[in-house]
Amino acid sequence: MERRYDIDWIRVIAIGLLLIYHVAIGFQPWGIMIGFIANDRPWPSLWLPMTMLNVWRIPLLFFVSGMGVYFALRNRSWKQLLRERALRILLPFGFGMAAIVPIHVYLWQRYYHFESSYAPGPGHLWFLGNLFCYVVVLSPVFYYLKRSEGSRLAQWSARMWRTPLGLLPVFALFVGEVLVLDPLPFELYAMTWHGFFLGLLAFFFGFFFVWCGPPFWHMLLRWRWLFLAVAIGLFSLRLVFFQSATSAYLLSMESNCWVLAVFAFGYRHLNHPSSALRYLSQAAYPVYIMHMVFLYLGSLLIFPLNIAIPLQFILVLLFTAGGSFTCYEWIIRRIKFLRPLFGLKG
């Protein structure tokens, strides 16, 4: 299979949305409850786009990560995959817990005038720990599927994707996950069993969707407006009628419709190379690892300023993105021994 530039683009866009969402948390009154520096003057209007994003932005990353494993397995054995993913995921995860997370925890302690202490932990890097677990657990299944390409199983899978009805078992598994675990709230993914098992399902189906080949993607393309319409409809229903009382199974269905719509429109419009994509694909991982340091530093410096809240948001966003990319371009990218610590090839 040829390189899928749309999947690369979606990964970059998902990391960008994550960065923007994290900046927006600082302007919500509950930000401090999940360890963010929260502005004394919140911006409630931000919650509308945030509540649309927060049911699918993290699942999207898990789907994309599973797709990445499919492409990695094209020229690797499962042992080589585990070794390569240990270097790409486990090493940055351990380094980040010990050296990156304590920096932004220190900035949080300083902003709130708490006693400073060294506080290693997963922090925002919990996602990497989950990913490595999924690779270890699912690599035998993925290797079996890799060897089964062209088999009767693959032919049956191709027939299953003739219409969106083939997605009913997929939706049923995601709905079953929330019915069993009953997450409160649905959007709390970090270091919860809900986040772990939802991520496991998304990671597996990300691999499976690419393994199924063109029939799945052609079905998505034909029905892309349906997925988008259902996602918008479920979001509108949630916003107008249910709000915080929305059932988890409805949120699960909405989440997957958004994800499928993103993949469908990405397949239609983004499957082409560019120099910007080459650069951003390399930068996305280090920027993800570093962005919380610059977010907290920017919050510490900008929140005390007596300026309009929207301007504060823009300044913190620019500071976070600018600091992260500058750190990547002039330090991480250019110092050889640092590259593997941020998931780059040495």
Side-chain angles (χ1 to χ4, degrees):
M1 183 179 289
E2 74 282 358
R3 186 171 184 87
R4 290 288 303 277
Y5 298 103
D6 55 317
I7 294 173
D8 291 336
W9 269 119
I10 290 170
R11 173 175 170 267
V12 167
I13 292 168
I15 294 293
L17 291 175
L18 176 76
L19 189 150
I20 295 170
Y21 188 89
H22 280 176
V23 172
I25 290 176
F27 293 84
Q28 300 302 311
W30 45 265
I32 189 174
M33 297 172 61
I34 56 173
F36 280 69
I37 295 177
N39 200 316
D40 293 334
R41 297 180 292 159
W43 189 7
S45 300
L46 280 177
W47 180 239
L48 180 62
M50 289 175 71
T51 194
M52 185 270 287
L53 283 173
N54 63 13
V55 299
W56 59 269
R57 60 185 182 86
I58 294 297
L60 178 66
L61 278 169
F62 282 125
F63 274 103
V64 170
S65 299
M67 292 175 179
V69 171
Y70 172 84
F71 292 108
L73 262 181
R74 287 188 303 176
N75 52 12
R76 293 175 178 85
S77 68
W78 67 270
K79 292 181 180 179
Q80 291 171 326
L81 175 72
L82 287 177
R83 185 164 53 248
E84 188 261 351
R85 283 309 190 248
L87 290 174
R88 288 264 297 166
I89 298 175
L90 204 56
L91 178 60
F93 182 50
F95 171 74
M97 285 198 299
I100 303 300
V101 172
I103 297 174
H104 65 75
V105 171
Y106 166 76
L107 294 170
W108 184 87
Q109 292 168 341
R110 180 171 175 179
Y111 184 85
Y112 287 107
H113 306 291
F114 294 145
E115 183 179 352
S116 299
S117 63
Y118 174 67
H124 67 293
L125 303 178
W126 65 272
F127 181 84
L128 301 181
N130 282 28
L131 285 187
F132 189 73
C133 289
Y134 302 156
V135 172
V136 172
V137 170
L138 292 175
S139 58
V141 179
F142 290 164
Y143 188 63
Y144 169 78
L145 288 173
K146 176 190 173 186
R147 298 186 63 184
S148 300
E149 289 183 310
S151 67
R152 289 183 179 179
L153 175 61
Q155 295 168 11
W156 174 83
S157 299
R159 290 194 298 270
M160 184 175 70
W161 301 126
R162 289 175 180 171
T163 73
L165 293 176
L167 288 164
L168 289 179
V170 179
F171 276 71
L173 285 171
F174 280 95
V175 169
E177 182 268 323
V178 296
L179 291 178
V180 171
L181 295 179
D182 191 23
L184 291 173
F186 177 88
E187 303 87 353
L188 186 59
Y189 310 108
M191 293 173 284
T192 65
W193 284 117
H194 164 59
F196 182 85
F197 285 108
L198 182 148
L200 183 69
L201 287 172
F203 191 80
F204 169 77
F205 281 112
F207 182 99
F208 186 70
F209 290 162
V210 182
W211 177 83
C212 288
F216 172 79
W217 297 94
H218 294 164
M219 181 273 292
L220 278 192
L221 197 58
R222 286 195 303 272
W223 296 91
R224 63 190 183 278
W225 291 107
L226 173 66
F227 297 125
L228 181 60
V230 173
I232 293 172
L234 288 172
F235 172 62
S236 302
L237 191 68
R238 170 162 61 104
L239 197 65
V240 175
F241 294 104
F242 298 119
Q243 297 180 8
S244 60
T246 307
S247 299
Y249 69 87
L250 287 176
L251 292 172
S252 176
M253 290 190 287
E254 181 191 334
S255 172
N256 282 296
C257 286
W258 283 118
V259 168
L260 292 169
V262 168
F263 283 131
F265 282 93
Y267 185 60
R268 175 68 176 83
H269 298 288
L270 298 177
N271 196 14
H272 51 79
S274 75
S275 57
L277 177 61
R278 285 194 296 272
Y279 181 84
L280 292 172
S281 292
Q282 286 288 311
Y285 197 2
V287 165
Y288 159 69
I289 292 172
M290 287 298 304
H291 81 277
M292 292 290 277
V293 171
F294 291 101
L295 169 57
Y296 282 44
L297 181 59
S299 300
L300 189 149
L301 296 174
I302 294 167
F303 282 177
L305 301 179
N306 187 23
I307 56 178
I309 295 301
L311 180 57
Q312 283 195 353
F313 175 81
I314 293 170
L315 290 176
V316 173
L317 180 59
L318 291 175
F319 188 94
T320 304
S324 300
F325 275 99
T326 299
C327 182
Y328 164 73
E329 177 62 34
W330 295 102
I331 300 175
I332 298 169
R333 185 174 177 228
R334 298 170 188 269
I335 300 178
K336 189 172 182 179
F337 79 88
L338 287 179
R339 291 176 61 87
L341 300 177
F342 290 88
L344 302 174
K345 294 180 180 179

